[in-house]
Amino acid sequence: MDDIDNQILQVALRFIFVVMIAISFIFFTYFSWIYLQPFIFAIVLSFFFQPFIHLLNNHLRIPRGAAILLVLFIFGGLAGGLLALLVAEIIRGIQYLASGVPGHFSLLTNYLTQGTVDFLSPLLTKGEALTNKLSVNQQQTLEEYFKVAQEKFSETSLTLLNSALEATGLFLAELPSSFAFIFITLLATFFICKDWNMIVKFLMKAFPEALSERVYIFRGEFIQTIKGLIRAQCMLVMISTSLIAIGLLIIGAPHPLTITFLAALVDFIPYVGTGIIFIPWIIYQFLTGEFMMTICLSILYMVVMLTRQTLEPKLLADHFGVPPIILLVSLFLGFQLFGGLGMLISPIALMTIQTLVKTGVTKEIWTYIIGKT
């Protein structure tokens, strides 16, 4: 009996030890993300740039330092070009809105004003009749209430205006820190890429050979899973973008290519998607009286959303190698626990767990907990 109790105690202690290690790793990752974001991005970029640096360095015989600078310059130029193109498209869109919105806004204002007058006229007539029946004190009290309401409305308007100005000030104040973030990230990327081989050798020697081999296998499986995830997302974006382009051309929407390009960009943003373009556009068309365009855009948006929601679990599950229901449950659980951010974290967590299972790490952990050799 004592042997059984002792065995249960050892299993419990090993289980607690494994849980403590997992919790410590989660806390380490969390605080690293908060305080060391530029260096985390630098590590990811360095890992991504290695094949290109290897190609330039080993096959084209370009010195490693020059190869790193060339890769950073090429990808930085591509990112800057895409950003400039996006800004140019946004400016074109703003110019289009600036030329069309004032007229539509004037019509909308007249429509709302006339509707408000028609709605309030009977009420005002009844209010005047009711006010005449009130005593002098009651009329003064009613006037005071109206003055208080007016003051509250003015205070609320000023508060909203101040909030908007403060938000603008904060945005402008964050620009220097954003430039500093980009500069530190690029600088760290350069140094990490330059010493990449030395860093890998140091880490391989710092850990036992068995652990290093397991990490190497885990890295390979994890990379394959990430590639599958990227392929699935690209396929979803291509399908959504094709539907949007065809739909906009059919309904005769203005600037279909520009809108399709912007939709493709925002569709890569997790759980934001094309709704950030279509929902304000649909509301605007409705308020300006373009009801046919409102209906067409609503149908197009519904088709795109239904197609994406139908295909997304299947495509992601195929590339993840797990049943769609498990992926769907993980997405829902992540949303319930952490909101929109949880829906971004849950596929990564599921991908990590699946990689641990494939590489046999979970089996080894369970063997350690129950004490088998």
Side-chain angles (χ1 to χ4, degrees):
M1 192 68 178
D2 292 337
D3 293 338
I4 295 177
D5 292 339
N6 187 35
Q7 185 177 3
I8 293 174
L9 178 61
Q10 290 180 1
V11 170
L13 289 175
R14 284 192 290 266
F15 176 76
I16 293 172
F17 177 69
V18 171
V19 171
M20 292 298 294
I21 290 178
I23 294 174
S24 300
F25 177 76
I26 292 172
F27 272 99
F28 174 77
T29 305
Y30 175 74
F31 285 107
S32 298
W33 175 255
I34 292 177
Y35 297 108
L36 299 174
Q37 278 191 21
F39 301 98
I40 294 175
F41 279 108
I43 293 172
V44 174
L45 289 175
S46 300
F47 179 79
F48 175 74
F49 289 155
Q50 286 310 303
F52 305 99
I53 296 172
H54 179 78
L55 175 66
L56 295 175
N57 183 224
N58 292 348
H59 295 277
L60 300 181
R61 303 300 179 183
I62 299 176
R64 187 170 182 83
I68 294 170
L69 290 176
L70 183 60
V71 170
L72 290 175
F73 178 78
I74 291 173
F75 281 93
L78 289 174
L82 288 175
L83 182 62
L85 182 61
L86 177 61
V87 171
E89 293 295 338
I90 291 175
I91 292 174
R92 285 183 58 190
I94 292 174
Q95 290 175 344
Y96 168 75
L97 292 175
S99 62
V101 164
H104 292 305
F105 187 76
S106 177
L107 293 175
L108 177 62
T109 304
N110 293 333
Y111 175 78
L112 292 176
T113 303
Q114 186 62 40
T116 304
V117 171
D118 295 339
F119 175 75
L120 292 179
S121 293
L123 297 179
L124 292 173
T125 303
K126 294 180 180 179
E128 290 177 359
L130 180 61
T131 303
N132 293 331
K133 297 179 181 179
L134 297 177
S135 63
V136 177
N137 292 332
Q138 290 174 332
Q139 292 180 6
Q140 291 177 351
T141 303
L142 187 61
E143 290 178 0
E144 291 177 359
Y145 282 140
F146 281 129
K147 289 181 180 179
V148 170
Q150 186 178 6
E151 292 174 358
K152 290 292 184 182
F153 180 77
S154 300
E155 291 176 2
T156 303
S157 301
L158 289 175
T159 302
L160 293 175
L161 181 60
N162 289 332
S163 299
L165 293 175
E166 289 177 2
T168 304
L170 290 173
F171 173 74
L172 295 176
E174 287 293 328
L175 286 179
S177 61
S178 299
F179 289 127
F181 179 91
I182 295 173
F183 176 75
I184 293 173
T185 301
L186 292 176
L187 193 63
T189 302
F190 174 80
F191 285 115
I192 293 173
C193 288
K194 189 173 183 297
D195 299 328
W196 181 265
N197 295 329
M198 185 178 66
I199 293 171
V200 172
K201 290 180 181 179
F202 172 78
L203 293 176
M204 295 292 286
K205 292 179 179 179
F207 296 100
E209 184 177 351
L211 180 60
S212 299
E213 291 177 358
R214 187 64 66 189
V215 171
Y216 183 79
I217 296 172
F218 176 83
R219 187 193 70 167
E221 289 289 341
F222 195 76
I223 291 173
Q224 291 300 320
T225 308
I226 290 177
K227 288 180 178 178
L229 178 62
I230 293 175
R231 283 195 296 267
Q233 288 293 339
C234 289
M235 289 178 64
L236 288 170
V237 171
M238 287 178 60
I239 293 171
S240 299
T241 304
S242 301
L243 290 174
I244 291 171
I246 294 171
L248 293 179
L249 289 173
I250 291 175
I251 66 178
H255 304 287
L257 297 180
T258 300
I259 296 171
T260 302
F261 174 74
L262 294 176
L265 290 179
V266 299
D267 205 16
F268 278 105
I269 302 175
Y271 311 108
V272 174
T274 55
I276 197 173
I277 292 177
F278 275 94
I279 293 176
W281 192 9
I282 291 170
I283 294 174
Y284 169 76
Q285 293 294 330
F286 176 78
L287 293 177
T288 53
E290 298 290 340
F291 299 117
M292 183 57 67
M293 182 62 74
T294 302
I295 295 172
C296 293
L297 289 175
S298 301
I299 293 173
L300 176 59
Y301 180 58
M302 289 176 61
V303 169
V304 172
M305 287 301 298
L306 288 174
T307 303
R308 186 179 180 89
Q309 294 300 323
T310 302
L311 295 178
E312 187 170 22
K314 184 67 172 64
L315 286 174
L316 292 179
D318 289 343
H319 289 86
F320 268 117
V322 297
I325 185 63
I326 295 179
L327 180 61
L328 193 61
V329 169
S330 69
L331 291 173
F332 180 77
L333 184 61
F335 179 77
Q336 291 295 319
L337 292 176
F338 305 106
L341 182 62
M343 295 186 71
L344 177 62
I345 294 173
S346 57
I348 299 175
L350 184 62
M351 184 168 55
T352 304
I353 294 172
Q354 185 210 19
T355 306
L356 291 173
V357 172
K358 280 185 177 181
T359 54
V361 175
T362 53
K363 184 179 180 180
E364 292 184 1
I365 292 173
W366 178 250
T367 302
Y368 167 77
I369 290 174
I370 63 178
K372 290 184 179 181
T373 57

